[in-house]
Amino acid sequence: MREMSELQLITGKGIEGDRYMIGRETGFYSHKPEEGRQVTLFEAEVLGDILRDYGISIEPHEHRRNVTVAGVPLNHLVGKRFKLGSAVLEATRLSLPCKHIEEITGKEIFNPLVHRSIPAANFRGSRDTPE
């Protein structure tokens, strides 16, 4: 995972350059495509919650979600459309982490991360077609 100052969201496909962008899938779970999860969002505050509640320190890049936001209660957005920059997204459901995250991080963080992020469908991107 890498930090980026901005993302290009492609309508109906996901994030330009993401390993799970529809049509260019190369990620660990690419063999399990699912509509409505072109972008995943995570609350920055959860990192502190997990440290407080479970004594587990998680760095921002370890949660493996596309976008980290602060001050936005994501669970309240499920079923709603909202803007992320110039893109319009719809939060489709609460998210489950993958068990693979524990293999990658070496930390028992699956259960603490259950329902702590949301996947979203990409209805209108910041750019309409990949270059």
Side-chain angles (χ1 to χ4, degrees):
M1 302 298 289
R2 64 183 189 262
E3 184 175 328
M4 301 179 71
S5 60
E6 68 177 43
L7 301 171
Q8 293 293 320
L9 277 67
I10 309 303
T11 302
K13 294 192 178 287
I15 299 171
E16 179 67 41
D18 183 59
R19 66 190 182 281
Y20 291 108
M21 183 174 155
I22 295 173
R24 298 185 188 169
E25 300 92 337
T26 60
F28 187 81
Y29 286 102
S30 293
H31 64 286
K32 295 182 179 183
E34 179 184 325
E35 287 295 318
R37 66 174 189 187
Q38 290 93 3
V39 181
T40 53
L41 295 97
F42 186 85
E43 294 175 24
E45 295 82 1
V46 169
L47 300 175
D49 296 346
I50 291 174
L51 179 60
R52 179 195 65 222
D53 298 344
Y54 298 92
I56 302 170
S57 176
I58 302 173
E59 295 298 318
H61 68 278
E62 291 181 305
H63 61 68
R64 302 185 54 78
R65 299 296 175 237
N66 301 119
V67 178
T68 302
V69 299
V72 180
L74 295 175
N75 290 6
H76 300 291
L77 295 176
V78 172
K80 297 180 176 142
R81 289 187 182 184
F82 59 96
K83 288 190 83 174
L84 178 66
S86 61
V88 176
L89 305 177
E90 180 176 349
T92 54
R93 61 177 169 79
L94 297 175
S95 184
L96 292 173
C98 62
K99 277 296 220 179
H100 184 58
I101 196 168
E102 291 186 345
E103 294 172 29
I104 292 170
T105 63
K107 300 175 183 180
E108 294 184 16
I109 56 177
F110 177 84
N111 287 330
L113 288 175
V114 169
H115 295 163
R116 297 296 199 118
S117 63
I118 59 170
N122 185 5
F123 279 95
R124 187 178 74 227
S126 53
R127 201 172 76 225
D128 286 328
T129 56
E131 293 177 347

